Amino acid sequence: QSLVTGEDWFDALRFASRFRSRSFQNSMLIWAQHQIAYEEGKVPEPIPTYVAGYKQWASLGRQVDKGQTGYMIFAPVTARMVEEDGVRRRLERGESPPPHAKVTRSVVGVRPAYVFDVSQTSGKPIPPMPMPHLLQGQAPVGLREGIIEQISNAGFDTVMVPNAAAIQGANGCTNYATNTVSVRTDMDDAAQVKTLVHELAHVLCHDPVDPDTIGHRGRIEVEAESIALLVLEAHGMRTDSYSIPYVAQWANRELDVTPHEVVTSTAGKCVTTANKILAGLESHQGPDGDPPGIALLREIAKAPNTPPRPTPFTTPQPRQDFGTAI
């Protein structure tokens, strides 16, 4: 309920963008429990930073402090599945699959798991993760090209128009009849890239013949701008001055539903779509919620005979804030 206001919605998305390795629901569980710990004086800051399990922290040379309580989240439970003659079933524990049968792993449920914020642990210092410096008027190198490529892969052409008058006064426009995404060029480079991300979100999420899209302009604009916020926040690009009033305005325009219902119906979709976009980009991105070093340890575990890379950290290219979306 506290996510109803534009400011709280933005805070929730910003938090989720820093914990992209978690689902939106788990991110909110971490956030809520950390707030309780902060109010009880168990942690020094109201917002968590790096969050990992007990054994993960131990692998990084840190131990959970005495008296600290973990934050409960839901971890997936997977099982081996086998497909025979078009029928898919779960393999029992210890059961060997039939010869030539296709075996996959699927999520069959969830179980409680516990994670701890770095402020609840002590030990070896955490290597600082370099964060990008904002550029004046310029988007991160390669981000524009990566977004345009994803628009193209979705079957749409990108058209740059001279000004807002060419697209009915908007900064960007997605036309499903002509399969085009248009963006005005009389904006700074960073503003153009933000608009491209917003329009890509429309392309990926908002088929005009989908019943969930028809008549829900407020919700789809909340989704598109929230997805853009998540993608750009991952690149160190701040959108506060535009995204907060934009999301708040459109959330209140949905008929017959409260802003709270708009939030709860869009949050998971926004995070999932943003993660899909981010996974398809080669641009440098900020941390996704795992402590630095965990990714390298995972690589080593998968290939124990392969010498580790000298360092898992690279210096990101500069990032920039940008303007409006549509």
Side-chain angles (χ1 to χ4, degrees), residues 65-82:
D65 296 334
K66 185 177 180 179
Q68 291 290 349
T69 303
Y71 305 151
M72 195 279 286
I73 61 174
F74 290 106
V77 175
T78 62
R80 293 185 305 158
M81 308 294 291
V82 63

Side-chain angles (χ1 to χ4, degrees), residues 18-319:
R18 294 172 57 187
F19 289 83
R20 298 187 306 278
S21 62
R22 314 285 180 186
S23 69
F24 183 81
Q25 290 82 358
N26 276 341
S27 294
M28 294 300 97
L29 284 173
I30 293 169
W31 190 13
Q33 293 171 92
H34 189 87
Q35 292 295 312
I36 295 173
Y38 176 70
E39 292 170 1
E40 294 176 348
K42 292 183 177 180
V43 293
E45 300 293 337
I47 300 296
T49 51
Y50 295 121
V51 177
Y54 185 92
K55 291 183 178 180
Q56 287 179 309
W57 281 125
S59 71
L60 295 174
R62 297 184 68 86
Q63 295 295 321
V64 174
D65 296 334
K66 185 177 180 179
Q68 291 290 349
T69 303
Y71 305 151
M72 195 279 286
I73 61 174
F74 290 106
V77 175
T78 62
R80 293 185 305 158
M81 308 294 291
V82 63
E83 186 174 328
E84 298 179 278
D85 300 325
V87 179
R88 198 162 178 263
R89 67 176 180 87
R90 179 175 179 174
L91 287 172
E92 299 298 330
R93 185 184 298 273
E95 179 185 358
S96 298
H100 311 298
K102 181 181 179 181
V103 178
T104 59
R105 294 200 72 89
S106 297
V107 176
V108 295
V110 295
R111 61 176 176 82
Y114 293 86
V115 294
F116 300 83
D117 183 65
V118 64
S119 63
Q120 298 176 291
T121 68
S122 302
K124 292 183 179 180
I126 295 295
M129 177 66 75
M131 291 304 294
H133 298 286
L134 298 180
L135 295 176
Q136 294 296 318
Q138 294 295 317
V141 173
L143 181 55
R144 172 191 289 266
E145 292 78 10
I147 296 300
I148 291 177
E149 181 180 3
Q150 291 193 35
I151 292 173
S152 176
N153 291 341
F156 283 68
D157 294 326
T158 300
V159 179
M160 308 307 292
V161 299
N163 50 50
I167 45 177
Q168 295 77 48
N171 294 330
C173 178
T174 298
N175 189 320
Y176 294 88
T178 60
N179 276 22
T180 56
V181 166
S182 301
V183 174
R184 53 186 285 203
T185 58
D186 58 341
M187 303 186 293
D188 285 354
D189 174 64
Q192 294 179 38
V193 171
K194 177 183 179 297
T195 305
L196 285 167
V197 179
H198 181 108
E199 300 306 325
L200 173 60
H202 281 313
V203 168
L204 296 177
C205 298
H206 304 138
D207 187 332
V209 300
D210 187 339
D212 291 334
T213 297
I214 300 171
H216 293 285
R217 178 70 187 279
R219 182 172 60 78
I220 68 175
E221 291 303 327
V222 168
E223 289 178 351
E225 187 63 18
S226 298
I227 291 166
L229 182 153
L230 287 164
V231 171
L232 300 174
E233 185 78 16
H235 290 83
M237 300 173 69
R238 301 290 296 276
T239 66
D240 310 44
S241 61
Y242 183 81
S243 294
I244 291 176
Y246 190 95
V247 168
Q249 178 187 40
W250 281 106
N252 281 282
R253 290 191 183 183
E254 275 288 272
L255 299 176
D256 302 322
V257 292
T258 67
H260 172 247
E261 290 170 327
V262 176
V263 168
T264 55
S265 66
T266 62
K269 183 177 183 180
C270 293
V271 174
T272 299
T273 305
N275 283 341
K276 177 181 178 180
I277 294 172
L278 289 167
L281 295 172
E282 296 182 359
S283 51
H284 292 283
Q285 300 168 18
D288 63 2
D290 281 339
I294 287 292
L296 179 61
L297 290 173
R298 287 173 178 161
E299 290 183 17
I300 295 173
K302 291 179 181 178
N305 297 322
T306 302
R309 286 181 257 171
T311 172
F313 308 113
T314 57
T315 302
Q317 297 296 319
R319 307 294 188 272

